C-alpha cells in the first residue's frame, strides 16, 4: 500500500519568491477599463488618463497633492476611539479598530493638521474612506472640532476633504453628537469670518454630509462623486423605482444648487489657492 | 380603534381585566380580600415588568401608537398655541409642526416632529419623517423666535429624515447641517426633549440645545435598531441585539452626557396617561426655562457650543 504515500514533503509554491515580485505595476480603470501604469496614474493625480475617472485615494495622497512639500504638521495623530458603548455586532468594535489600525497604519478616519498651499498657511482635515468606511465617530468629530478651533485662533483658512459613509454606528448617539460638535465649532469659525472650504469626494453621505461637509463657505466637489444624505439603495427601497442616471452625483448637486464648483483633482490646488487669495 | 397591546404588556392587561370583572361582580359578595390580593398582584407585576424592560421593549414603547405626540403635548402643556406654517421657499412640511405659545405664562416658540395616529393621518404627516422644507420651516421659526427674544422648545419624535428622491434633490443634508450650525449660535434659550423616537440626523436636525431632556421610554441614536441590524448583521432579524448594542435608552445616554435629565413617565408608559405625561414634561421644561432665561445670550451660546464639544470618548 505504500506505493502512493509521499516520502518527501508536500510540493508547495515558493511564496517567498512571489512576494519579491513587484506587486501590480498596473491598475485598471473601474470606469472605462483602461490599463494604466501605476507611476503614470500617480503622476496624473490618481485619475484615469483616458476618461478622467477619479480613483479613491486617502489622506496621504491628498496631502501630497494639495500641500507644499513637507509643510504638513499633523495634529492629534494617535487619538483613537475609547469604545464607549463596548459595542459588539458580529465582531467586537475594539477588535475592529485594532485590526483596522494594523491594516491601514491610521488611527482613525481623519488626518488633521496645518500646512501650506503655495506658501499660505492653512488648516487641513482629510478623511480616509479606508478606515471603517470613513465613518465619523468621537475621534473624527474631536479632531475636526479642534482643527476648526486652531483655524480660528491662528486666523488661517480651514479646508476639510470628506470621504465618508456617515456617522459611525459603533459609537451610537455619541457619533451622532459629533455632527453637532463640529457644526458648533464651524459656527464660531464663521462668526470670526475665517473661510471654510469643504471638498466633497467619492463618497460623501449620511451624517458627514448633514454636518460639516455641507457647511463650507465654498463647496467644491470632485467629478462624479456620490454625495447625499440617504444612500441610493435606501432611497430605491423607499420609492420602489430605479433612480435616474447620475442621481446624487456631483454634477446633479451642482445642477440643484448644492455645490459651488466641480474641480478636477489636478486643478484642486490651483482652485483653492485662487479662492483663498480673494477671501483672505 | 382597537388598543394596541405589546407582548410584555399582555399579562398586566389580562390581570387588570380580571380585576375589573371581579369588581363589577362583587355586589353583595364578600370578595374584598380577593380584590385586594389581585390589586397587589397587578402592582407588583407592573413594577417588575417596567423595572426590567429590555432596550428593545423601550423602543417598542417609544413607538407605541397610543403614545402622545408633539401636538398632544403642545395642547396639554401650553395655552394660546398658534400654529405657523411653511418654510417660505417651497412648502409646508406636515411632518414638522411649530408655532407661538404660552407655557405657564412664559412666551415661547415650540417646534416638533409630528407623527400620525392612523393610516390617513400618517400619510398626511409622512409618518413623522421630515423633508428639507420641514427643517427649513423649523429654522425660520427659530430665527423668528430669536428676533422677538422667545425661548425655543423642540420636541423630538421621528423615525428619521425622509429618504426620498425629492428630499435629496432639495438638499436634505444641507437643511439638517444648516440647522445644526444655526441652532449652535441662536441667541435665545433652546430646550430639547426627546419624547419618543430620536432617529439619527433626522431627529438632531432640531435637536441642538442648552438642555436636553429625554422621556424615560424614548430612544435616541445614530441609527434605528432595524437598520443597524441590516447593515452590521446583514439581516433584519437582529434588531433586539442591535438595540442592546446601540445603548439607546435614556438610562444609557445620561451617563454618556448626551442628555441632561430623564423625564419620568406614568407607570406603564406615557400612553397610559397622556395628561400625567404632559404634566411631568411641563414641570421639567419649566424648571429649565426659568434657569436659562437668566443667562445672557453670549454666555448661553458659548456654553451650548462647549456642551456639545465635550461629547465623545477617545484616548490620546
Amino acid at each position: 500500500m505504500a506505493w502512493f504515500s509521499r516520502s518527501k514533503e508536500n510540493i508547495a509554491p515558493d511564496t517567498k519568491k512571489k512576494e519579491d515580485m513587484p506587486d501590480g505595476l498596473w491598475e485598471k480603470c473601474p470606469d472605462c477599463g483602461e490599463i494604466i501604469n501605476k507611476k503614470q496614474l500617480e503622476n496624473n493625480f490618481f485619475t484615469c488618463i483616458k476618461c478622467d475617472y477619479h480613483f479613491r485615494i486617502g489622506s496621504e495622497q491628498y496631502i501630497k497633492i494639495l500641500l507644499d512639500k513637507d509643510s504638513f504638521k499633523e495634529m492629534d495623530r494617535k487619538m483613537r476611539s475609547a469604545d464607549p458603548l463596548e459595542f459588539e455586532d458580529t465582531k467586537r468594535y475594539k477588535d475592529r479598530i485594532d485590526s483596522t489600525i494594523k491594516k491601514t497604519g491610521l488611527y482613525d478616519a481623519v488626518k488633521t493638521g496645518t500646512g501650506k498651499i503655495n506658501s499660505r498657511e492653512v488648516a487641513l482635515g482629510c478623511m480616509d474612506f479606508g478606515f471603517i468606511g470613513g465613518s465619523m465617530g468621537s475621534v473624527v468629530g474631536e479632531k475636526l472640532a479642534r482643527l476648526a478651533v486652531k483655524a480660528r485662533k491662528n486666523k488661517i483658512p480651514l479646508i476639510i476633504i470628506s470621504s465618508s459613509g456617515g456617522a459611525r454606528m459603533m459609537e451610537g448617539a455619541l457619533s451622532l453628537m459629533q455632527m453637532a460638535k463640529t457644526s458648533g465649532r464651524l459656527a464660531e469659525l464663521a462668526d470670526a469670518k475665517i473661510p471654510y472650504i469643504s471638498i466633497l469626494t467619492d463618497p460623501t453621505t449620511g451624517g458627514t454630509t448633514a454636518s460639516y461637509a455641507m457647511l463650507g463657505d465654498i463647496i467644491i466637489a470632485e467629478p462624479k462623486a456620490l454625495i447625499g444624505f440617504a444612500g441610493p439603495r435606501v432611497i430605491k427601497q423607499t420609492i420602489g423605482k430605479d433612480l435616474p442616471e447620475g442621481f446624487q452625483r456631483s454634477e446633479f448637486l451642482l445642477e440643484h444648487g448644492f455645490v459651488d464648483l466641480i474641480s478636477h483633482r489636478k486643478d484642486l490646488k490651483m482652485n483653492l489657492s485662487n479662492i483663498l487669495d480673494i477671501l483672505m | 380603534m382597537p388598543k394596541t397591546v405589546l407582548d410584555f404588556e399582555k399579562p398586566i392587561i389580562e390581570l387588570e381585566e380580571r380585576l375589573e370583572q371581579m369588581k363589577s361582580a362583587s355586589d353583595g359578595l364578600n370578595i374584598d380580600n380577593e380584590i385586594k390580593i389581585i390589586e397587589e398582584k397587578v402592582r407588583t407585576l407592573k413594577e417588575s415588568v417596567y423595572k426590567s424592560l429590555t432596550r428593545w421593549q423601550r423602543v417598542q414603547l417609544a413607538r407605541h401608537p397610543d403614545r402622545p405626540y408633539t401636538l398632544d403635548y403642545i395642547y396639554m402643556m401650553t395655552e394660546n398655541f398658534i400654529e405657523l406654517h411653511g418654510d417660505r421657499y417651497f412648502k409646508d412640511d406636515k411632518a414638522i409642526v411649530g408655532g407661538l405659545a404660552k407655557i405657564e405664562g412664559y412666551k415661547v416658540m415650540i417646534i416638533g416632529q409630528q407623527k400620525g395616529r392612523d393610516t390617513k393621518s400618517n400619510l398626511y404627516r409622512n409618518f413623522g419623517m421630515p423633508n428639507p422644507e420641514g427643517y427649513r420651516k423649523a429654522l425660520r421659526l427659530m430665527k423668528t423666535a430669536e428676533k422677538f427674544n422667545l425661548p425655543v422648545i423642540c420636541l423630538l419624535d421621528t423615525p428619521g429624515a425622509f429618504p426620498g428622491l425629492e428630499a435629496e434633490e432639495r438638499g436634505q443634508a444641507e437643511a439638517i447641517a444648516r440647522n445644526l450650525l444655526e441652532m449652535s449660535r441662536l441667541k435665545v434659550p433652546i430646550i430639547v426633549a426627546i419624547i419618543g423616537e430620536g432617529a439619527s440626523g433626522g431627529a438632531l436636525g432640531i435637536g441642538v440645545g442648552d438642555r436636553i431632556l429625554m422621556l424615560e421610554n424614548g430612544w435616541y441614536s445614530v441609527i434605528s435598531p432595524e437598520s443597524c441590524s441590516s447593515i452590521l448583521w446583514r439581516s433584519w432579524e437582529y434588531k433586539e441585539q442591535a438595540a442592546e448594542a446601540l445603548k439607546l435608552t435614556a438610562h444609557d445616554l445620561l451617563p454618556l452626557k448626551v442628555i441632561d435629565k430623564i423625564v419620568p413617565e406614568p407607570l406603564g408608559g406615557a400612553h397610559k396617561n397622556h395628561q400625567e405625561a404632559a404634566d411631568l414634561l411641563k414641570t421639567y421644561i419649566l424648571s429649565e426655562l426659568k434657569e436659562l432665561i437668566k443667562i445672557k445670550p453670549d454666555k448661553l451660546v458659548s456654553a451650548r457650543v462647549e456642551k456639545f464639544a465635550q461629547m465623545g470618548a477617545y484616548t490620546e
Side-chain angles (χ1 to χ4, degrees):
Chain A
M1 289 296 281
W3 62 272
F4 59 78
S5 71
R6 207 185 291 276
S7 55
K8 284 184 189 165
E9 244 183 44
N10 216 344
I11 303 165
D14 194 344
T15 48
K16 253 193 191 154
K17 213 173 193 176
K18 212 174 185 181
E19 273 169 21
D20 288 338
M21 298 273 286
D23 83 299
L25 278 165
W26 304 89
E27 196 85 49
K28 190 178 173 184
C29 171
D31 208 22
C32 73
E34 179 78 0
I35 307 289
I36 314 161
N37 177 286
K38 269 197 169 169
K39 196 70 205 157
Q40 203 180 2
L41 186 67
E42 192 182 334
N43 288 340
N44 207 38
F45 302 89
F46 300 93
T47 63
C48 176
I49 47 168
K50 196 173 159 203
C51 75
D52 273 344
Y53 173 84
H54 283 49
F55 284 74
R56 215 174 260 174
I57 55 172
S59 54
E60 203 66 56
Q61 285 95 337
Y62 274 110
I63 287 166
K64 269 193 198 146
I65 290 171
L66 295 180
L67 298 184
D68 299 350
K69 200 164 183 290
D70 298 328
S71 69
F72 185 65
K73 288 193 199 93
E74 193 173 352
M75 294 159 56
D76 307 310
R77 191 174 80 87
K78 289 196 162 179
M79 190 191 288
R80 53 180 290 176
S81 172
D83 186 16
L85 308 187
E86 297 175 351
F87 193 95
E88 188 173 352
D89 49 89
T90 52
K91 207 174 166 181
R92 291 199 309 170
Y93 176 43
K94 208 171 159 293
D95 297 340
R96 208 184 278 268
I97 295 174
D98 285 342
S99 65
T100 313
I101 289 174
K102 232 182 221 165
K103 197 179 77 191
T104 61
L106 302 161
Y107 285 86
D108 211 297
V110 75
K111 217 183 247 301
T112 56
T114 56
K116 285 183 175 153
I117 292 180
N118 296 338
S119 306
R120 182 195 301 282
E121 180 97 351
V122 299
L124 176 74
C126 184
M127 300 190 73
D128 278 290
F129 193 77
F131 198 102
I132 318 188
S135 53
M136 171 187 39
S138 298
V139 175
V140 169
E142 180 63 22
K143 282 172 88 169
L144 288 176
R146 287 186 189 182
L147 187 70
V149 171
K150 179 98 171 175
R152 175 163 52 90
K153 293 204 164 143
N154 292 12
K155 297 193 170 56
I156 53 173
L158 172 67
I159 300 165
I160 298 176
I161 304 168
S162 292
S163 175
S164 166
R168 188 175 295 168
M169 281 175 280
M170 300 82 161
E171 292 181 33
L174 284 177
S175 293
L176 185 65
M177 294 309 136
Q178 304 311 309
M179 295 168 64
K181 176 196 279 190
T182 52
S183 301
R185 291 303 188 202
L186 289 175
E188 291 179 331
L189 190 72
D191 285 344
K193 300 200 190 320
I194 305 290
Y196 162 42
I197 301 177
S198 171
I199 299 172
L200 316 178
T201 73
D202 186 61
T204 300
T205 60
T208 301
T209 320
S211 57
Y212 52 87
M214 273 293 152
L215 292 173
D217 296 304
I218 310 282
I219 303 179
I220 303 175
E222 284 192 344
K224 291 185 183 164
L226 177 78
I227 303 160
F229 180 61
R233 259 183 310 150
V234 179
I235 300 167
K236 199 176 153 185
Q237 247 174 37
T238 312
I239 63 172
K241 276 191 293 203
D242 280 336
L243 299 169
E245 176 84 17
F247 179 66
Q248 290 184 314
R249 296 287 162 181
S250 304
E251 297 71 18
F252 175 92
L253 268 89
L254 184 82
E255 210 45 54
H256 284 89
F258 290 100
V259 302
D260 287 286
L261 67 143
I262 293 172
S263 172
H264 191 290
R265 199 176 282 154
K266 71 173 160 39
D267 302 326
L268 213 45
K269 183 167 182 174
M270 180 192 70
N271 279 326
L272 284 171
S273 187
N274 287 344
I275 291 168
L276 292 176
D277 203 36
I278 291 176
L279 292 183
M280 288 300 279
Chain B
M1 208 171 65
K3 269 208 181 316
T4 309
V5 178
L6 301 173
D7 277 347
F8 60 88
E9 290 180 318
K10 268 181 195 154
I12 298 167
I13 303 248
E14 277 166 17
L15 210 57
E16 279 178 336
E17 276 167 5
R18 229 175 87 201
L19 185 69
E20 285 309 308
Q21 282 167 7
M22 282 175 76
K23 276 183 180 168
S24 62
S26 69
D27 267 359
L29 294 167
N30 195 7
I31 55 171
D32 283 0
N33 264 342
E34 281 83 346
I35 287 175
K36 253 187 204 154
I37 289 167
I38 302 262
E39 273 175 343
E40 181 58 23
K41 246 189 177 170
V42 169
R43 202 182 57 78
T44 50
L45 183 64
K46 265 188 182 171
E47 267 177 10
S48 74
V49 166
Y50 291 105
K51 219 187 252 168
S52 55
L53 287 175
T54 66
R55 294 187 173 92
W56 174 247
Q57 285 170 335
R58 294 228 193 247
V59 172
Q60 289 175 295
L61 278 178
R63 292 174 180 166
H64 201 292
D66 299 327
R67 200 170 164 85
Y69 295 144
T70 292
L71 281 173
D72 301 317
Y73 281 110
I74 291 178
Y75 288 124
M76 289 185 288
M77 295 191 307
T78 71
E79 309 99 51
N80 305 343
F81 174 61
I82 301 169
E83 192 177 344
L84 304 173
H85 295 273
D87 69 343
R88 297 289 193 272
Y89 295 114
F90 182 69
K91 76 191 283 191
D92 182 47
D93 189 342
K94 307 292 191 270
I96 288 190
V97 297
L100 300 163
K102 279 185 183 179
I103 177 162
E104 200 82 40
Y106 292 96
K107 300 165 189 173
V108 297
M109 183 71 82
I110 188 160
I111 300 166
Q113 287 117 351
Q114 179 65 37
K115 290 180 176 177
R117 216 168 275 291
D118 51 24
T119 309
K120 199 179 154 200
S121 64
N122 255 322
L123 288 173
Y124 182 70
R125 298 288 179 191
N126 199 29
F127 298 84
M129 293 185 283
N131 274 287
E133 45 275 16
Y135 297 104
R136 292 184 182 128
K137 167 163 81 172
L139 182 58
R140 180 178 76 84
L141 299 185
M142 289 183 225
K143 286 287 189 185
T144 305
E146 186 180 46
K147 182 172 177 181
F148 297 102
N149 200 24
L150 303 171
V152 175
I153 297 167
C154 290
L155 305 180
L156 273 48
D157 189 15
T158 179
F162 187 57
L165 191 136
E166 290 85 2
E168 294 290 320
E169 275 181 344
R170 295 197 293 274
Q172 188 74 285
E174 194 276 343
I176 293 171
R178 182 69 45 206
N179 280 18
L180 301 184
L181 187 140
E182 294 299 343
M183 292 183 87
S184 297
R185 61 178 177 188
L186 201 78
K187 289 193 162 61
V188 287
I190 306 175
I191 298 171
V192 174
I194 299 111
I195 57 169
E197 294 192 88
S200 194
L204 184 65
I206 56 166
V208 179
D210 304 297
R211 295 287 186 278
I212 316 295
L213 309 173
M214 181 160 171
L215 263 62
E216 204 182 343
N217 295 314
W219 73 266
Y220 194 20
S221 193
V222 69
I223 193 167
S224 74
E226 287 90 339
S227 301
C228 181
S229 158
S230 85
I231 295 170
L232 291 181
W233 280 266
R234 298 180 195 284
S235 148
W236 296 94
E237 300 305 308
Y238 295 86
K239 52 188 191 289
E240 288 164 49
Q241 283 97 316
E244 286 298 313
L246 284 167
K247 308 240 169 19
L248 41 61
T249 69
H251 293 285
D252 294 319
L253 298 179
L254 190 67
L256 292 171
K257 298 196 167 130
V258 169
I259 62 167
D260 297 300
K261 271 178 193 162
I262 300 173
V263 181
E265 293 183 25
L267 190 60
H271 62 287
K272 293 284 180 196
N273 190 336
H274 284 202
Q275 190 61 53
E276 194 189 333
D279 291 344
L280 281 162
L281 179 59
K282 185 178 174 179
T283 312
Y284 274 72
I285 288 175
L286 277 171
S287 96
E288 301 300 338
L289 193 60
K290 284 173 192 163
E291 290 298 314
L292 290 171
I293 53 175
K294 288 184 215 154
I295 305 170
K296 288 210 171 95
D298 286 344
K299 273 205 171 153
L300 200 64
V301 168
S302 63
R304 190 185 303 147
V305 171
E306 290 306 324
K307 173 188 179 63
F308 283 89
Q310 295 309 313
M311 293 182 196
Y314 48 85
T315 59
E316 291 182 74

